[in-house]
Amino acid sequence: MNLSIFLKQVVDFSSEELEDIVSHFEKESVQKNEILVREGQICSKLYFIEKGVGRSYYLKEDGMEITQWFFIDGKIMSSIESFFQQVPSIYYLEMLEDSVIYSITRERLDMLFARYHNMEKFGRLLSTEMLTRVVNKLNALQFQTARERYEYMLKEFPDISTRVSLGFIASYLGMTQETLSRIRRNDSKKS
Amino acid sequence: MNLSIFLKQVVDFSSEELEDIVSHFEKESVQKNEILVREGQICSKLYFIEKGVGRSYYLKEDGMEITQWFFIDGKIMSSIESFFQQVPSIYYLEMLEDSVIYSITRERLDMLFARYHNMEKFGRLLSTEMLTRVVNKLNALQFQTARERYEYMLKEFPDISTRVSLGFIASYLGMTQETLSRIRRNDSKKS
DNA sequence: TGTATCCTTTGACCTATGTCAAAAAGTAAA
DNA sequence: TTTACTTTTTGACATAGGTCAAAGGATACA
C-alpha cells in the first residue's frame, strides 16, 4: 500500500496537507535481514512499510531472541517507546524480506504535529489503534493455551505464518519452536 | 491528584484552555465494588481517578474473572477500545475502593479534540504512554516466570499489592492465586 | 460475641509445555 | 549434484505451575 493512501485512510487530510506531509518522508530500499535499529540506540525514525515485513525483537540474558512484534506492509513500524520517549531502544528492528519503506525523523514528525491539527489527530488515532492491537495480544498471552495463542496470531497476522520462520513466530507467542511445531502437526492431521 | 494538575502535567495548556476543558468533566463519587461499565455496553466515558483504584476485567467462558488492568489515582481509566472505537466493551470496569472520579463523554472529548490542537496532543501523548505501559506488561507475560512477572507488577503498580486482593493480582499476571500465594511465601521466608 | 462470608494458604497430585539431543527436511551456494 | 547450512520435526524426559480440596485467617454485620 502506498503512503498517501494509507495516510488518507486514517484521517481526511486535504491535498495540500498530504503533499507536504509525504514530502517529509524518505523512501528507502532495505534488504532481507537488514537491521534498522539496534538495542541501545535511540530510534530516530518512524517507518511506513510499503512492501515487506519486519519484526522487533530483544535478546534475553542467555542470548535468546524474543520476537516482540511483526510489522507488515501497509503499516507503521518503529521502536515505539524509544521513538516517542527518545530513550534507548530495548529492541532491534529487522526487516525479514527485501522491503520498500518510507521513513520520517522525529524532528520532522514533531514539526508536522505542530503544523497540522489533522496530523496530531493522525498520531492519536495511530497510537490508539496500536494500543488495541497490543491489548489483543496481551489477552492471548495472559490466560490462553499455546494452541489458543497460535489461533490468535493467525487472526492478527493472517499471512505471516507463511512469510517468516517458525522460530520467530514461536517466540512472538511466548512458546518454544518445538511446541509450535507440534501444534502445527496436530492441525494438519485433522485437516 | 487533581484533574487540572494532571492535564497541565501532560501538555502545557493555557489557563483558558484548561478552564474550558475541566468544565466538561463531571465529578462522581462511586463506591467500592461499583461497576462503571459492563461487558457488551459501549463505554461512553473516559474517567480520571482523583482518588481510589479500579480495574478492568473480563469473564472467561467458564465464568472466571481475568483482571486486565489496574487504574490508580492520578491516571485515566476507560475501556479503551470500546471508548475509542465505539464498539461493545469486552471488559467490565469496576472500582475497588470508594473513589472520586471525573468523567467526560466521547462527544465532549471529540469536541475538545477538534477545538484545541493542544487537546489532540494530550490524547496522543496519553495513548502513547499507555501503549508503552501495555508493552511492558506484554514483555513480562511473554517469556518470564511467575516470579519475574510478579516483580514486574511491583514496579508497575508499587502499592497495588496492599490495596487489592491477591486473586485480582494473580489473574492480572496470568497465574492462579495459589501460585501467587506461594511466591509471596517464599519472598517472606527470605527477608 | 457469634455467625456467615470472603480471602489466603497449604498439600497432594497432574499436565502442558519446556529442555536437550538428534534426525530429517529444506535451501542456497559452488 | 554435492556440500554446507539453516530450519523444522521428533522423541525422551523434566518441571513450573495448574487443579482440586480442605483448612486457616480476616472481616463484617446482626
Side-chain angles (χ1 to χ4, degrees):
Chain A
M1 185 188 300
N2 166 301
L3 175 57
S4 45
I5 292 176
F6 171 71
L7 291 165
K8 185 93 183 179
Q9 201 175 270
V10 180
V11 172
D12 189 29
F13 290 106
S14 70
S15 318
E16 301 80 57
E17 286 173 336
L18 215 51
E19 197 181 333
D20 183 27
I21 292 166
V22 169
S23 77
H24 288 92
F25 280 80
E26 284 185 17
K27 186 175 183 171
E28 302 179 29
S29 290
V30 297
Q31 290 200 302
K32 182 171 174 170
N33 299 328
E34 205 171 312
I35 292 190
L36 304 178
V37 175
R38 287 167 195 283
E39 182 187 355
Q41 296 177 339
I42 291 179
C43 175
S44 61
K45 292 175 180 172
L46 189 79
Y47 304 93
F48 169 77
I49 307 178
E50 183 174 282
K51 186 179 148 302
V53 209
R55 64 164 182 151
S56 57
Y57 68 93
Y58 62 93
L59 298 179
K60 286 211 298 184
E61 322 74 55
D62 61 4
M64 190 183 183
E65 293 182 359
I66 309 290
T67 297
Q68 167 61 23
W69 201 259
F70 291 112
F71 303 90
I72 54 177
D73 18 2
K75 299 278 176 190
I76 292 295
M77 171 170 185
S78 192
S79 179
I80 308 278
E81 179 172 20
S82 173
F83 181 76
F84 282 112
Q85 328 290 359
Q86 293 287 290
V87 294
S89 177
I90 54 176
Y91 306 105
Y92 292 79
L93 290 185
E94 177 189 28
M95 299 312 297
L96 302 175
E97 294 176 354
D98 294 347
S99 308
V100 177
I101 62 184
Y102 288 79
S103 66
I104 185 168
T105 61
R106 180 66 202 271
E107 293 74 41
R108 287 180 167 207
L109 187 64
D110 275 344
M111 187 266 286
L112 292 174
F113 279 148
R115 184 178 297 171
Y116 302 116
H117 187 148
N118 260 346
M119 190 65 189
E120 197 81 74
K121 182 175 183 183
F122 174 81
R124 175 172 63 81
L125 293 179
L126 212 68
S127 39
T128 54
E129 194 224 309
M130 191 66 201
L131 186 57
T132 65
R133 293 160 67 90
V134 172
V135 167
N136 284 341
K137 180 176 174 186
L138 202 53
N139 285 339
L141 286 177
Q142 191 163 344
F143 248 106
Q144 292 187 234
T145 62
R147 134 157 282 106
E148 288 169 324
R149 299 202 297 276
Y150 181 59
E151 280 154 14
Y152 141 79
M153 110 83 66
L154 291 180
K155 267 183 226 149
E156 177 73 46
F157 298 108
D159 64 343
I160 210 90
S161 63
T162 58
R163 293 170 77 176
V164 312
S165 70
L166 173 139
F168 294 165
I169 296 174
S171 76
Y172 171 85
L173 294 174
M175 67 184 76
T176 60
Q177 54 179 13
E178 291 92 333
T179 296
L180 181 52
S181 174
R182 288 187 249 259
I183 287 172
R184 282 188 173 172
R185 175 179 50 181
N186 292 342
D187 281 359
S188 57
K189 264 189 208 160
K190 279 177 205 155
S191 64
Chain B
M1 184 189 298
N2 167 301
L3 176 57
S4 46
I5 292 176
F6 171 71
L7 291 165
K8 184 96 183 176
Q9 201 175 272
V10 180
V11 171
D12 190 30
F13 291 106
S14 70
S15 318
E16 301 79 57
E17 286 174 337
L18 215 52
E19 197 181 332
D20 183 28
I21 291 165
V22 169
S23 77
H24 288 91
F25 280 80
E26 283 186 19
K27 186 175 184 172
E28 301 180 29
S29 290
V30 296
Q31 290 200 302
K32 183 170 173 170
N33 299 327
E34 207 170 309
I35 292 190
L36 303 178
V37 174
R38 287 165 197 286
E39 184 187 351
Q41 297 178 337
I42 292 179
C43 176
S44 60
K45 293 175 179 172
L46 189 78
Y47 303 93
F48 168 76
I49 307 178
E50 183 174 281
K51 184 179 149 301
V53 211
R55 65 164 182 149
S56 58
Y57 69 93
Y58 63 93
L59 297 179
K60 285 211 299 184
E61 321 74 53
D62 61 5
M64 191 183 181
E65 293 181 0
I66 309 290
T67 297
Q68 167 63 21
W69 202 260
F70 291 111
F71 302 91
I72 54 177
D73 18 4
K75 298 280 177 190
I76 292 296
M77 171 169 184
S78 193
S79 178
I80 308 280
E81 180 174 19
S82 174
F83 181 77
F84 282 112
Q85 328 290 1
Q86 293 287 287
V87 294
S89 177
I90 54 176
Y91 306 107
Y92 292 79
L93 290 185
E94 176 189 28
M95 299 312 298
L96 303 175
E97 293 176 355
D98 292 348
S99 307
V100 177
I101 62 184
Y102 288 79
S103 67
I104 185 168
T105 61
R106 181 65 202 273
E107 293 75 41
R108 288 181 166 205
L109 188 64
D110 274 345
M111 187 266 288
L112 293 174
F113 280 149
R115 184 178 295 171
Y116 301 116
H117 188 147
N118 260 345
M119 190 65 190
E120 196 81 75
K121 181 175 184 184
F122 174 81
R124 175 173 63 82
L125 293 178
L126 213 68
S127 38
T128 54
E129 195 224 309
M130 191 66 201
L131 186 57
T132 64
R133 291 160 68 90
V134 172
V135 167
N136 284 340
K137 180 176 173 187
L138 201 53
N139 285 338
L141 285 178
Q142 191 163 344
F143 247 107
Q144 294 188 235
T145 62
R147 132 157 287 105
E148 289 168 323
R149 299 203 297 275
Y150 181 59
E151 280 154 15
Y152 141 79
M153 110 83 65
L154 291 178
K155 267 183 223 148
E156 177 74 45
F157 298 108
D159 64 345
I160 210 89
S161 63
T162 58
R163 292 171 77 178
V164 312
S165 69
L166 173 137
F168 294 165
I169 295 174
S171 76
Y172 172 85
L173 293 174
M175 66 184 77
T176 60
Q177 54 180 11
E178 292 92 333
T179 296
L180 181 53
S181 174
R182 288 186 248 260
I183 287 172
R184 282 188 172 170
R185 175 179 53 182
N186 292 342
D187 281 358
S188 57
K189 264 188 207 158
K190 280 179 204 152
S191 63

